[in-house]
Amino acid sequence: DTGVSQDPRHKITKRGQNVTFRCDPISEHNRLYWYRQTLGQGPEFLTYFQNEAQLEKSRLLSDRFSAERPKGSFSTLEIQRTEQGDSAMYLCASSAGAEGDTQYFGPGTRLTVL
Amino acid sequence: RKEVEQDPGPFNVPEGATVAFNCTYSNSASQSFFWYRQDCRKEPKLLMSVYSSGNEDGRFTAQLNRASQYISLLIRDSKLSDSATYLCVVNSGYGGATNKLIFGTGTLLAVQP
């Protein structure tokens, strides 16, 4: 499968714990995006990388959230001191890099904070 | 006001029906427009891009009215397999500064046998 992959697919954690998610984009896609989707809503933009540079962060991304893409390939999203309100589907997408190009989404990581 | 607004539905239609979804967006500087489809508990997948001239892909027709900041999707001859949530999506990127997608809440379509 050469699509976007995410790991883990599901994560259940207790409030206050730290969690880390991984995203592997489509090979040679230089843009990578993180979105969050809660029940009944469309995905909301969190952050965006072009190669290893993090170019934009949403106000939704509080200081408990950090994302990295150290070598311009895979990316990680870490949430520290999780809260129940962090429960959501975390979606990763990648694109080839042209303006307005198609973003391809991974299957998502579903986070449940107890 | 949300940046992208669409009727959440649900739209319950019989097989073979024609159904239309509408969407409005607030940022007049938006550059690119899409319809994504999302099946229950799955990731969004691109259905089609939307152009000012209108575009068609089989049973699906999308249209964009920049003056009214309005996007539409028409599905003809609905199939059971069309049952899904349809997300109206706007790319806010301009001038190379960003490329983030702004999603509507989605419209749920249920095609009945």
Side-chain angles (χ1 to χ4, degrees):
Chain A
D1 186 354
T2 56
V4 178
S5 62
Q6 292 186 246
D7 183 69
R9 297 290 304 279
H10 303 274
K11 179 70 177 180
I12 300 174
T13 191
K14 292 182 179 179
R15 190 176 52 187
Q17 298 294 305
N18 299 344
V19 294
T20 300
F21 309 142
R22 176 180 171 125
C23 170
D24 286 88
I26 293 171
S27 179
E28 298 179 357
H29 275 190
N30 60 20
R31 293 186 177 184
L32 186 147
Y33 313 80
W34 286 98
Y35 293 84
R36 180 174 70 185
Q37 186 173 24
T38 54
L39 195 62
Q41 301 297 316
E44 296 173 293
F45 171 80
L46 292 179
T47 191
Y48 152 55
F49 290 86
Q50 179 148 331
N51 299 312
E52 65 275 11
Q54 187 172 19
L55 297 187
E56 186 172 350
K57 291 168 61 174
S58 164
R59 286 172 296 177
L60 293 174
L61 213 66
S62 76
D63 56 6
R64 295 185 299 105
F65 288 71
S66 62
E68 295 183 340
R69 194 183 184 197
K71 298 181 180 179
S73 56
F74 74 92
S75 175
T76 58
L77 178 68
E78 181 182 16
I79 309 174
Q80 296 183 325
R81 305 181 303 281
T82 53
E83 301 173 357
Q84 287 186 323
D86 297 331
S87 296
M89 174 76 87
Y90 289 84
L91 292 160
C92 176
S94 71
S95 70
E99 287 297 323
D101 59 347
T102 300
Q103 295 185 21
Y104 297 91
F105 284 81
T109 295
R110 184 170 296 279
L111 173 66
T112 301
V113 182
L114 302 175
Chain B
R1 182 187 172 190
K2 290 189 175 182
E3 288 190 65
V4 179
E5 297 210 51
Q6 56 181 133
D7 183 343
F11 282 53
N12 295 297
V13 302
E15 271 187 290
T18 295
V19 60
F21 304 139
N22 303 315
C23 164
T24 57
Y25 62 95
S26 60
N27 185 351
S28 59
S30 300
Q31 297 293 304
S32 307
F33 310 88
F34 310 91
W35 284 99
Y36 274 72
R37 169 191 169 132
Q38 186 171 28
D39 293 293
C40 188
R41 303 182 75 83
K42 299 285 190 179
E43 74 273 22
K45 292 186 178 179
L46 179 67
L47 179 66
M48 57 198 305
S49 300
V50 189
Y51 305 111
S52 296
S53 55
N55 48 302
E56 187 174 310
D57 182 2
R59 298 180 293 109
F60 299 83
T61 301
Q63 293 205 308
L64 166 67
N65 184 322
R66 284 188 182 270
S68 302
Q69 295 179 205
Y70 173 93
I71 306 163
S72 66
L73 176 68
L74 185 75
I75 305 175
R76 291 181 299 278
D77 189 23
S78 300
K79 311 291 185 191
L80 294 175
S81 57
D82 294 334
S83 297
T85 295
Y86 290 83
L87 295 159
C88 178
V89 186
V90 172
N91 187 323
S92 66
Y94 48 90
T98 187
N99 201 34
K100 66 184 179 186
L101 298 180
I102 310 297
F103 287 80
T105 55
T107 299
L108 180 61
L109 172 65
V111 181
Q112 312 291 336

